[in-house]
Amino acid sequence: MANSLELGTRRTGNLIDFDPTTEPVNVTLEYDEKGIRVVIPWSSTADYYASWFLSDEYLGSSNTKKPVPKQLLFDDSHGTVLLVDCWARGFHTNLSSGSGRVWAKYAIPGIQENTDFLQINGARSLVSGLHEWLGKRSIETDVDRESRALTVTAKSGSPVLVNSTLSLQPTWGIDHASNNESITVTDLVYCVSRSADPVDWTDLTRTHLGLRDLLVLSRWIAESSTVEGALKLDDPLKTLDGTEHGEQWRSVTAIQDRPELMRPAGYRPHLIEFDDIGANGIDAWLKLREDFSRALDPVISDRFLDRVGPVTHMAQIGPGLEALGYLLLLRDNIPNAQAKNSPLRVRLIRILQDVAGSLPFDETEWIEGTVSAYNGIKHANRKLPSELELLNRWRESVLVIRAWVALELGLTPEVVKSRLSRDPQSSPYVARS
């Protein structure tokens, strides 16, 4: 077994908190769909590790509540794993012995020293769907049928520079099956962010999530952005003799959702293609994403809702529509007091000014129907619309937001309408007979 963390991993070893006054404790390291965690036992309330979980009233006079270190080191026969951004959550006790769980946001194998990875200089993520959208290949195959030979050439391509801190790196990965009977070579594209000074992980990966959000809106599929590498400039690559050999990207296992479980069946085309906007368009999107976050956040988040009803979907989308209309009125230099007091119909009319001619449905009917549907669930004194009505107004409203983004990034109304007319989301819901 290699020193790596795969879903389903369960390893037993020692936990080191880098405090010279405490002794290592035997723990279990687990990684599954719930996250990364270590289970820590204690034999009495006087035990040091009990203080990470129990309150003072249970610990007694011999012990006091203590914070969990933000970094911990796990060590077993396979190697070391640095646990980064840790917190305590959940325990079981009989008021004497017990066990608690410490969770970590990131796990970095192979680090043996107390290197501060709470702030980093570089982050590398995999965004699902990015390789397909970018259209960059790093793998070529050649088959010689006469000699029955297959040649696979894998070579990293030139990076796509989005801005001064973000680049997209086409590359490849290789995976050996556990039975050593097969090898899988995969085309990959990394989102790479760098900073000269150490910064928080969230600061470096914000643009990765932003790019994921663009792909979500482009074809209305739940995509993921998963950190898989981190760089610290004060953690160079070293040989056994201590000689430094440049930068070192550490492998990272991170907490992640699994949106692939929510993917619809069949192929879905992109509304916004990379060839439409290029690297400059990605940079423009990241600025748009930030400026209109109050409008776009609810819509993008809606795509990650699973097994909820039409009322929930409409309640999620509605605030996004309200915010977009309000922000566009402000962009028109309408006074804030007038913009914030504008009714929903006025805000939708303002949105329609930007997307007119790009929608594959009746625009006036969308305004009236959406006002009625959203107010119907927002105000308890109004009649609740039918589920079919809510589903179709929700569906149309998502298309409106997607069209608005595409137009803001430079696509023409004709192109947007043509692509949306072939989008699965353009098909109305109908009652089952």
Side-chain angles (χ1 to χ4, degrees):
M1 176 180 174
N3 186 23
S4 62
L5 288 180
E6 306 292 340
L7 279 175
T9 293
R10 192 173 190 273
R11 294 163 55 175
T12 301
N14 289 324
L15 187 69
I16 303 167
D17 67 355
F18 302 111
D19 184 342
T21 65
T22 62
E23 295 293 329
V25 61
N26 193 251
V27 302
T28 302
L29 172 64
E30 299 175 341
Y31 174 47
D32 55 24
E33 289 83 357
K34 297 179 182 179
I36 306 163
R37 62 192 176 276
V38 287
V39 181
I40 307 173
W42 64 82
S43 58
S44 73
T45 56
D47 191 305
Y48 168 78
Y49 295 100
S51 68
W52 287 3
F53 304 94
L54 302 180
S55 60
D56 287 338
E57 61 181 305
Y58 292 108
L59 292 170
S61 59
S62 62
N63 205 352
T64 57
K65 181 71 175 176
K66 299 178 181 66
V68 175
K70 297 301 290 183
Q71 289 197 160
L72 296 167
L73 187 68
F74 173 85
D75 185 16
D76 68 359
S77 60
H78 301 290
T80 58
V81 179
L82 184 69
L83 304 175
V84 181
D85 201 353
C86 301
W87 72 97
R89 187 185 71 201
F91 66 89
H92 172 76
T93 181
N94 59 8
L95 301 184
S96 176
S97 61
S99 64
R101 293 181 293 277
V102 169
W103 301 77
K105 194 169 183 180
Y106 308 103
I108 309 176
I111 297 180
Q112 298 180 347
E113 301 174 351
N114 188 14
T115 305
D116 182 5
F117 266 87
L118 293 172
Q119 293 190 320
I120 55 178
N121 297 96
R124 189 168 64 191
S125 300
L126 285 173
V127 175
S128 63
L130 178 58
H131 163 256
E132 177 187 356
W133 183 71
L134 200 62
K136 305 289 185 180
R137 293 190 60 85
S138 300
I139 300 173
E140 296 180 356
T141 60
D142 181 68
V143 179
D144 188 333
R145 300 192 181 278
E146 292 185 2
S147 60
R148 298 176 60 83
L150 169 65
T151 302
V152 179
T153 303
K155 182 179 180 181
S156 297
S158 300
V160 177
L161 303 179
V162 176
N163 52 42
S164 60
T165 60
L166 175 66
S167 64
L168 309 180
Q169 177 61 66
T171 187
W172 53 276
I174 187 168
D175 181 55
H176 296 267
S178 57
N179 58 10
N180 292 322
E181 292 184 357
S182 64
I183 298 175
T184 303
V185 184
T186 307
D187 261 312
L188 303 172
V189 174
Y190 286 130
C191 290
V192 182
S193 293
R194 299 176 65 105
S195 171
D197 299 316
V199 296
D200 292 339
W201 294 66
T202 52
D203 292 335
L204 273 182
T205 57
R206 185 173 289 111
T207 54
H208 305 182
L209 290 170
L211 185 52
R212 177 208 66 177
D213 293 344
L214 176 60
L215 298 184
V216 170
L217 290 175
S218 181
R219 58 176 179 174
W220 202 239
I221 288 179
E223 305 286 5
S224 64
S225 176
T226 306
V227 182
E228 72 80 44
L231 170 71
K232 282 276 291 183
L233 294 181
D234 59 359
D235 176 47
L237 183 64
K238 295 181 181 179
T239 49
L240 293 177
D241 61 2
T243 303
E244 297 184 3
H245 297 273
E247 298 176 346
Q248 176 175 207
W249 282 93
R250 294 282 191 176
S251 175
V252 175
T253 298
I255 293 177
Q256 57 181 293
D257 49 26
R258 302 187 67 190
E260 70 272 10
L261 302 179
M262 301 165 56
R263 285 184 178 276
Y267 171 74
R268 289 208 171 191
H270 279 282
L271 169 61
I272 305 164
E273 298 177 357
F274 175 72
D275 289 342
D276 294 327
I277 64 173
N280 290 337
I282 296 176
D283 195 32
W285 155 253
L286 295 174
K287 294 182 175 66
L288 183 73
R289 176 74 178 87
E290 182 176 352
D291 293 342
F292 285 85
S293 60
R294 290 292 298 271
L296 296 172
D297 279 344
V299 180
I300 295 166
S301 298
D302 178 76
R303 188 58 190 87
F304 294 88
L305 297 179
D306 190 25
R307 299 180 181 179
V308 299
V311 171
T312 302
H313 280 302
M314 196 66 217
Q316 180 75 19
I317 291 294
L321 293 171
E322 289 187 301
L324 180 57
Y326 165 74
L327 292 172
L328 290 177
L329 290 172
L330 292 182
R331 194 164 74 172
D332 294 341
N333 295 318
I334 300 297
N336 180 63
Q338 181 180 343
K340 73 177 183 180
N341 292 323
S342 60
L344 178 60
R345 178 177 280 101
V346 170
R347 300 187 189 200
L348 296 187
I349 290 173
R350 176 59 190 87
I351 296 172
L352 188 58
Q353 292 177 16
D354 283 1
V355 299
S358 66
L359 304 175
F361 51 80
D362 187 281
E363 299 165 347
T364 302
E365 183 181 343
W366 167 71
I367 291 179
E368 298 305 319
T370 301
V371 169
S372 176
Y374 185 47
N375 285 333
I377 65 172
K378 189 176 180 180
H379 302 287
N381 62 321
R382 302 195 183 189
K383 182 181 179 180
L384 186 67
S386 69
E387 289 193 346
L388 183 63
E389 174 70 4
L390 288 173
L391 279 173
N392 278 312
R393 298 312 173 190
W394 160 74
R395 174 187 58 81
E396 292 172 348
S397 297
V398 172
L399 287 172
V400 167
I401 298 294
R402 295 173 63 200
W404 180 82
V405 169
L407 294 167
E408 286 285 314
L409 296 182
L411 277 72
T412 66
E414 294 77 18
V415 169
V416 172
K417 185 172 184 177
S418 174
R419 291 179 183 175
L420 286 182
S421 66
R422 300 191 300 271
D423 192 289
Q425 204 177 22
S426 67
S427 300
Y429 292 97
V430 295
R432 182 183 296 177
S433 58

